[in-house]
Amino acid sequence: MRAFAPGSVTAVFAPGETADQSKGASVAIADGVVADVREGDADESVVTVGGDPTDFDPVELALETLGVSARSDLTAEVPIGRGFGASGAATLATAIAANAEFGLDYSREQLVEVAHRAEVEAGTGLGDVFVQNRGGLVVGDGGEPRKFERETPIEYASFGPIATDEALADDDLMATVAREGSATLDALPDDPTLADLTREAWDFAEAIGLPTDEVREAVADVEAAGGVASMAMVGETVFAVGAEGVLPNRTEVCPEGARLR
């Protein structure tokens, strides 16, 4: 059984009320992850990416929680570990596909929670799956987020990974993220455009000190072409709106969430 989950670009985030929650502003994108799940050959689940076996902790944890031994073959349309929520997309798509493949009868809400808990335990994310479950532009937290339909094209370029688990474990960084992220989210308009969000997100990225020289150069190129750009959280990745042909990759907002294929 195959399922797809969109990638997600988090523009702004801050810790939530508990350690396993976050709040933020993110957009689901049409480029994502496909999981092809079927019964495994042994008592231990196997995960592959592009045909190569790999350790993929959140996917394995989700399958364990669902109580199945399975093979999940992942096809990633976005780079893994570079701010596209690939681990969340892989985990959510796997959970949805496994539920159908094995006739588990979990509700959609339960599957999202399984994927979220697996991400938290693995240290790979705090809220991507909530965005990937809904699609669109999502602002808020996992409990009561606001979803906005948007059709603005998005360009992006990725230069390298930033370890999410290390960033989330950096107490000084997270204290700054909590302060600056909350202030940025509070400053967003009630009905934000992607340009509004991206503009505010760049101020946030600079305030927390994550942009590298390559990121700054790409953002400057987009701004010189009349667009706005910022940095994906968390990865050495730039996303942009309002410019065409400046960055090498072009996608669009995914209006709906994860689903069987």
Side-chain angles (χ1 to χ4, degrees):
M1 189 68 66
R2 291 162 58 89
F4 166 82
S8 60
V9 175
T10 296
V12 182
F13 78 107
E17 295 182 359
T18 63
D20 63 348
Q21 293 180 341
S22 68
K23 55 185 178 180
S26 306
V27 59
I29 61 173
D31 301 347
V33 178
V34 175
D36 186 353
V37 177
R38 56 188 182 276
E39 189 172 354
D41 297 329
D43 294 334
E44 189 173 305
S45 292
V46 173
V47 181
T48 71
V49 177
D52 298 323
T54 185
D55 292 329
F56 211 125
D57 288 347
V59 172
E60 293 164 18
L61 287 167
L63 290 170
E64 181 180 340
T65 300
L66 294 174
V68 298
S69 176
R71 179 184 177 98
S72 180
D73 294 314
L74 305 174
T75 303
E77 301 166 346
V78 291
I80 295 174
R82 299 192 179 189
F84 292 98
S87 63
T91 306
L92 181 57
T94 295
I96 291 171
N99 186 61
E101 176 70 17
F102 294 97
L104 301 178
D105 202 30
Y106 279 80
S107 70
R108 179 63 173 241
E109 291 74 17
Q110 288 172 320
L111 293 172
V112 172
E113 187 63 20
V114 165
H116 172 61
R117 293 294 174 188
E119 276 247 276
V120 171
E121 185 174 342
T124 52
L126 284 177
D128 290 322
V129 298
F130 297 113
V131 179
Q132 293 157 344
N133 178 51
R134 291 177 174 85
L137 168 62
V138 178
V139 179
D141 57 34
E144 298 181 0
R146 294 175 291 155
K147 174 181 175 179
F148 303 93
E149 302 290 344
R150 296 290 181 262
E151 297 182 356
T152 310
I154 299 169
E155 291 194 348
Y156 64 87
S158 183
F159 306 107
I162 293 177
T164 302
D165 55 349
E166 294 179 9
L168 295 178
D170 186 327
D171 291 340
D172 290 339
L173 172 61
M174 292 307 293
T176 305
V177 167
R179 181 182 68 251
E180 299 294 339
S182 295
T184 301
L185 291 169
D186 289 343
L188 287 177
D190 291 338
D191 188 19
T193 65
L194 284 185
D196 292 331
L197 173 59
T198 305
R199 193 174 294 108
E200 295 289 344
W202 182 235
D203 290 340
F204 166 72
E206 292 208 288
I208 65 175
L210 283 184
T212 62
D213 289 343
E214 283 185 298
V215 166
R216 291 183 183 280
E217 183 177 343
V219 169
D221 289 344
V222 171
E223 291 176 344
V228 289
S230 187
M231 179 180 182
M233 300 291 142
V234 181
E236 196 180 357
T237 291
V238 173
F239 67 95
V241 297
E244 184 171 350
V246 179
L247 302 182
N249 303 290
R250 192 169 179 86
T251 187
E252 57 190 19
V253 179
C254 184
E256 55 185 356
R259 56 199 180 274
L260 291 172
R261 270 194 172 177

